Amino acid sequence: VSLLYFRRHLVLALTSCVFWNTLGVSAATDSKPNILLFLADDLGIGDIGCYGNSTIRTPNVDRLAREGVKLTQHIAAAPLCTPSRAAFLTGRYPIRSGMASSNRYRALQWNAGSGGLPANETTFARLLQQQGYTTGVIGKWHQGVNCESFSDHCHHPLNHGFDYFYGMPFTLLNNCQENKPPELDAALQAKLWLYSQIIALAVFTLAAGRVTGLLSISWKITACFTLVGCIFFISWYSSYGFVQYWNCILMRNHAITEQPMRLERTASLMLKEAVSFIKRNKQGPFLLFVSFLHVHTPLFTTAKFLRKSRHGLYGDNVEEMDWMVGKILDALDKEGLKNNTLTYFASDHGGHLEAQDGSAQLGGWNGIYKGGKGMGGWEGGIRVPGIFRWPGVLPAGIVIDEPTSLLDIYPTIIHLTGGTLPQDRVIDGRNLMPLLQGRVQQSEHEFLFHYCGSYLHAVRWHQKDSGALWKAHYVTPIFHPPGAGACYGKGICPCFGEGVTHHDPPLLFELSQDPSEAKPLTGETEPLFDMVIEKIGRAIEEHRRTLTPVPEQLSFYNIMWKPWLQPCCGTFPFCWCDKEGGTTHSL
């Protein structure tokens, strides 16, 4: 009798727990939780204490992990800033929106380019706006600004569902800091100079032919060639002296506040803006996307954190970023919002191994994982930190080893805020709440596709019946020097051409047994080899059938600098202003 009594009450207790947990989630969802998203720039998974780093101090990110759920297989949808962030904002692989490049320019190069996140893409910010949320983004954008004029703002955050923007429409570059070697693509500069010379020769030939009567061609055609040549020449010339003024700017909504930006006060301004946004919107609900400029080169770090870490300037920059995370979390606590806020922390892709200054490493550490930023298939370029915290709704101190993606943030927060996913397009992300709460034990993802630009480099298959995690590499970069683990001397590894190796049959790894991708399997060493390759091959065919042609936003024309698109505070080309008071803000 006592045993039956115990069993009966145990069942009732478990049922009650499930009921109240579900009720709690429902109540939290009904009250529309605030959403706070932290996204670091170029941060390696091995740079964070809760992911195994014992020498860089990240107590605030570590606290998020202790108080929430840590994902160990959180995957970026691209290994570079622009496409990865496009996927994060839309829940779709970048190739679907045209944000995947078929050329060597895989990220936006200028504020005055015409490419960017298309206006017909629906970001999570727009859907939350429709649910009554106040939406803001603080920090890096790097999804474009204008399309046809310097003030159309077609790619601007305010045209993609954000009510408020303060930050950098572009991304940090060495060019943003004086006395740093220029970072804008040297090959692009050489190509611009070559095109300038070719067009100049063509103009000279046409003009000479017209004057001598050897060619019957109108002066209008000659003038058009001259105009195009001038654009290429100005682009080439400006890439040497004007990058700081034309790319390194801060904006508040549509207005430029600093041109060029003053890096010594940027961190304090970003922190001030994030805290102010929380205070202004504490009655909620709000979405705040804190898109850090840290830890991208040139790693400008304020004096308070310089020479404080054991890993030079890079470690100093990581620790400053962590401190900023802590201050923003403190603002949540101060306003009593912690328990009604879903907080998320991640990086847009892996650490930049090739970022060096002599013997000093200026990029991140990707732990045990091979490769880094720019490498479409290797784990080091795409496996990133992923942490969720929501006290009372998500369990604390839980680690999940299932495959998840930055793509998943989109459907997860749309679900939580009562929105409806777009029905007119493919959404590649999956709602993570059942997995985060422990209501299911396996991720919804069966296959994840790993692109380098518009080229499919690798695919992972989560074989759920056995728990195996297979990954097939069809293309891998050729490291330089051989065996170095990166493409030193090239900036980042290429996606195609002579700098890659095509594998037929593909390289196959079982990541649960070989996370470092050190020992490729073969038909001789793995009995399931042929079955796995065939299964992944069929998945690729099905995936490609879901793709539709779209305009390429990162074509050479779209990434090229265009003077009529240049955001300018002043009279072009004399673009300069400082509307932040002219004083340095202390941290």
Side-chain angles (χ1 to χ4, degrees), residues 278-512:
I278 292 172
K279 289 181 178 179
R280 290 197 310 271
N281 298 287
K282 60 185 177 182
Q283 300 304 319
F286 67 77
L287 160 72
L288 176 57
F289 174 23
V290 181
S291 179
F292 286 108
L293 302 180
H294 298 65
V295 287
H296 198 290
T297 51
L299 301 175
F300 191 91
T301 307
T302 51
K304 180 178 179 179
F305 292 92
L306 282 176
R307 293 175 290 278
K308 297 296 176 62
S309 79
R310 294 165 58 182
H311 287 275
L313 186 59
Y314 182 81
D316 297 343
N317 205 243
V318 173
E319 292 187 1
E320 181 177 50
M321 179 202 67
D322 178 82
W323 177 82
M324 293 172 70
V325 169
K327 287 296 183 182
I328 296 170
L329 294 178
D330 289 346
L332 272 187
D333 293 348
K334 184 177 179 181
E335 301 298 337
L337 301 174
K338 175 179 177 180
N339 292 341
N340 192 39
T341 301
L342 174 71
T343 303
Y344 168 78
F345 179 90
S347 177
D348 56 357
H349 49 70
H352 190 186
L353 301 181
E354 294 90 351
Q356 294 180 318
D357 184 7
S359 60
Q361 180 65 27
L362 301 181
W365 181 50
N366 299 315
I368 65 172
Y369 305 109
K370 180 182 290 186
K373 175 180 178 177
M375 303 183 205
W378 294 124
E379 287 291 282
I382 54 177
R383 191 180 290 219
V384 297
I387 301 170
F388 285 87
R389 185 192 74 172
W390 188 1
V393 177
L394 299 182
I398 299 299
V399 177
I400 294 177
D401 297 323
E402 290 289 296
T404 59
S405 171
L406 267 69
L407 295 164
D408 299 333
I409 305 311
Y410 186 97
T412 300
I413 63 177
I414 300 308
H415 166 76
L416 287 175
T417 56
T420 302
L421 292 176
Q423 301 300 306
D424 61 345
R425 65 199 63 195
V426 176
I427 301 297
D428 297 297
R430 299 290 183 267
N431 175 21
L432 290 179
M433 284 305 291
L435 181 66
L436 296 175
Q437 292 180 294
R439 289 184 279 134
V440 300
Q441 299 304 310
Q442 291 186 323
S443 163
E444 284 191 43
H445 288 292
E446 183 177 10
F447 296 96
L448 285 171
F449 302 91
H450 308 307
Y451 282 89
C452 187
S454 61
Y455 301 91
L456 185 65
H457 274 206
V459 180
R460 80 179 62 211
W461 173 35
H462 186 206
Q463 189 179 2
K464 297 183 181 182
D465 56 353
S466 68
L469 189 64
W470 307 100
K471 187 173 173 194
H473 288 261
Y474 295 86
V475 184
T476 57
I478 299 173
F479 292 147
H480 178 79
C487 299
Y488 296 106
K490 294 187 177 181
I492 58 172
C493 290
C495 295
F496 62 94
E498 296 180 356
V500 302
T501 299
H502 293 264
H503 302 281
D504 186 14
L507 300 179
L508 182 66
F509 300 91
E510 211 283 75
L511 294 181
S512 64

Side-chain angles (χ1 to χ4, degrees), residues 112-383:
S114 53
L117 187 65
N120 61 358
E121 288 294 323
T122 304
T123 66
F124 54 65
R126 183 167 304 286
L127 293 180
L128 265 65
Q129 220 176 29
Q130 295 170 3
Q131 294 298 313
Y133 275 71
T134 302
T135 58
V137 54
I138 309 295
K140 171 176 174 172
W141 179 238
H142 210 189
Q143 297 295 299
V145 183
N146 299 311
C147 290
E148 297 179 355
S149 74
F150 70 91
S151 61
D152 66 34
H153 299 124
C154 66
H155 302 306
H156 190 280
L158 269 60
N159 201 42
H160 278 295
F162 289 99
D163 297 305
Y164 185 75
F165 169 59
Y166 182 85
M168 200 175 179
F170 195 58
T171 182
L172 276 181
L173 295 166
N174 276 351
N175 307 73
C176 297
Q177 184 176 351
E178 295 179 1
N179 303 319
K180 289 281 187 179
E183 194 175 343
L184 195 69
D185 193 343
L188 174 60
Q189 292 173 323
K191 185 175 289 187
L192 290 170
W193 175 236
L194 175 63
Y195 289 168
S196 299
Q197 291 176 305
I198 292 173
I199 295 173
L201 180 61
V203 169
F204 177 79
T205 303
L206 292 173
R210 169 75 186 219
V211 170
T212 60
L214 295 175
L215 292 174
S216 58
I217 191 168
S218 71
W219 286 114
K220 288 184 179 180
I221 294 177
T222 305
C224 288
F225 271 90
T226 303
L227 177 61
V228 173
C230 287
I231 292 172
F232 277 100
F233 177 78
I234 294 171
S235 297
W236 168 79
Y237 181 76
S238 65
S239 69
Y240 284 92
F242 291 90
V243 175
Q244 184 179 16
Y245 285 85
W246 289 350
N247 273 354
C248 307
I249 67 175
L250 288 183
M251 298 181 77
R252 175 177 286 106
N253 295 327
H254 291 144
I256 299 172
T257 62
E258 286 187 353
Q259 190 170 18
M261 57 199 290
R262 291 177 55 180
L263 294 181
E264 68 272 13
R265 66 187 185 193
T266 300
S268 61
L269 288 171
M270 298 295 175
L271 178 57
K272 175 184 174 184
E273 288 286 339
V275 171
S276 176
F277 183 91
I278 292 172
K279 289 181 178 179
R280 290 197 310 271
N281 298 287
K282 60 185 177 182
Q283 300 304 319
F286 67 77
L287 160 72
L288 176 57
F289 174 23
V290 181
S291 179
F292 286 108
L293 302 180
H294 298 65
V295 287
H296 198 290
T297 51
L299 301 175
F300 191 91
T301 307
T302 51
K304 180 178 179 179
F305 292 92
L306 282 176
R307 293 175 290 278
K308 297 296 176 62
S309 79
R310 294 165 58 182
H311 287 275
L313 186 59
Y314 182 81
D316 297 343
N317 205 243
V318 173
E319 292 187 1
E320 181 177 50
M321 179 202 67
D322 178 82
W323 177 82
M324 293 172 70
V325 169
K327 287 296 183 182
I328 296 170
L329 294 178
D330 289 346
L332 272 187
D333 293 348
K334 184 177 179 181
E335 301 298 337
L337 301 174
K338 175 179 177 180
N339 292 341
N340 192 39
T341 301
L342 174 71
T343 303
Y344 168 78
F345 179 90
S347 177
D348 56 357
H349 49 70
H352 190 186
L353 301 181
E354 294 90 351
Q356 294 180 318
D357 184 7
S359 60
Q361 180 65 27
L362 301 181
W365 181 50
N366 299 315
I368 65 172
Y369 305 109
K370 180 182 290 186
K373 175 180 178 177
M375 303 183 205
W378 294 124
E379 287 291 282
I382 54 177
R383 191 180 290 219

